[in-house]
Every structure is written in structure tokens, then in C-alpha cells.
Amino acid sequence: MKDFNSLEELEEYLNKKEKEFKSFKESIGTYKEEPEEWKLNMGEKYYTIDDFGNISWWVCDNDGAVIGAIEIGNAFKTREEAEFELERRKIITELKKYSKAYNPNENNVCICYSYAEDNLETYLEPLDEPDIGAYYFESEKMAEKAIKEVGEERIKKYLFGVEE
């Protein structure tokens, strides 16, 4: 932990961390909603993403392929939903190029969306355990580079669900 020379420095540091943590909690708030369960009916058209990133449509016949697609989250009601998911997967892949595995003995910088500021922010992870689904970076500089390279608007839209 960081050394502090005065109570004022410690208080300033804790206030900053409290703000970062609050912003992070706000940013994941959209993920707490229960998704509507989709029941694919016999004869209904659905879309999938193949191994090469192509979107295909199929007609449900309740065979093993459609059941497997549903179980792994690779069956979509509309082409637009499949296209959205394909772009989301591309962004995840791009972020992984800059990120690292969580390590409790090192800096673990995260990216979060601040609803109050309407922008992405980087912060040093204040928790002792990793958050599921978070991407960790060795420094704020690396996290900011990832945001710049991947695109702030793309990350906001496809990972945090922020529509302009």
C-alpha cells in the first residue's frame, strides 16, 4: 500500500478511490438486469456466428446443433443481434491484446464507464479479488492506449451498452 505523509494525503487518496469505486459500481449496474429468456420455436429462423466470423441463418428443428448454439449463447433472434455480438467479440479480442491476467501482487488497472461523466475512466482496482469480466492492465498508460486503439465509443457501446 502507498505511504502517506499526512492525514490529508490519506483522506484525499481515499476520497479518490471511493469516487472510482462508485463510478465502477455505476458502470456495471446495467449488467444486473435479468435478461428476457428466449424460447426458440420449431420452424423459427435464427442466426449464428461461425468460426470465421460469418453470420448465418438457420431454421430451428430442435437438433443438437441448435440446442448447442442456444446453450453457448450463439443463437440470435435477428441478424442485428448477431452483428452486435460479433462486434462485441472483436472488441474483447482487441482488449485482450493489451490486458493481463489479474495478479494480487501487482497493479491491476481497470477500465470502467462513468455515467456521471459519460466517458471511460481508468482506475487501480481497489479489491483483493478480480471482478469477473473485467480487463486488467499493467498501468493506466496501457489501459489508455487500449481505449485509444480499440476506440472509446466502440467500448462504450458494445461492452457497457451506452448508446449515443
Side-chain angles (χ1 to χ4, degrees), residues 58-118:
W58 304 89
V59 175
C60 178
D61 61 4
N62 284 335
D63 69 358
V66 69
I67 294 167
I70 291 168
E71 286 178 352
I72 66 167
N74 195 30
F76 307 94
K77 292 180 196 178
T78 66
R79 180 170 192 84
E80 291 76 22
E81 287 179 3
E83 289 169 347
F84 186 94
E85 176 60 16
L86 180 59
E87 185 64 19
R88 189 185 75 79
R89 291 178 188 181
K90 288 178 184 177
I91 289 167
I92 289 169
T93 300
E94 292 174 42
L95 282 175
K96 285 181 179 179
K97 292 176 186 174
Y98 299 94
S99 66
K100 67 174 190 85
Y102 179 87
N103 185 330
N105 300 316
E106 296 178 2
N107 285 339
N108 294 288
V109 176
C110 285
I111 296 173
C112 71
Y113 174 71
S114 169
Y115 286 94
E117 302 293 327
D118 186 31

Side-chain angles (χ1 to χ4, degrees), residues 37-67:
E37 187 174 340
W38 174 43
K39 300 279 187 189
L40 189 57
N41 300 310
M42 187 71 109
E44 186 178 353
K45 186 177 183 178
Y46 69 100
Y47 296 83
T48 63
I49 302 169
D50 71 17
D51 294 345
F52 303 101
N54 300 308
I55 296 172
S56 303
W57 65 269
W58 304 89
V59 175
C60 178
D61 61 4
N62 284 335
D63 69 358
V66 69
I67 294 167

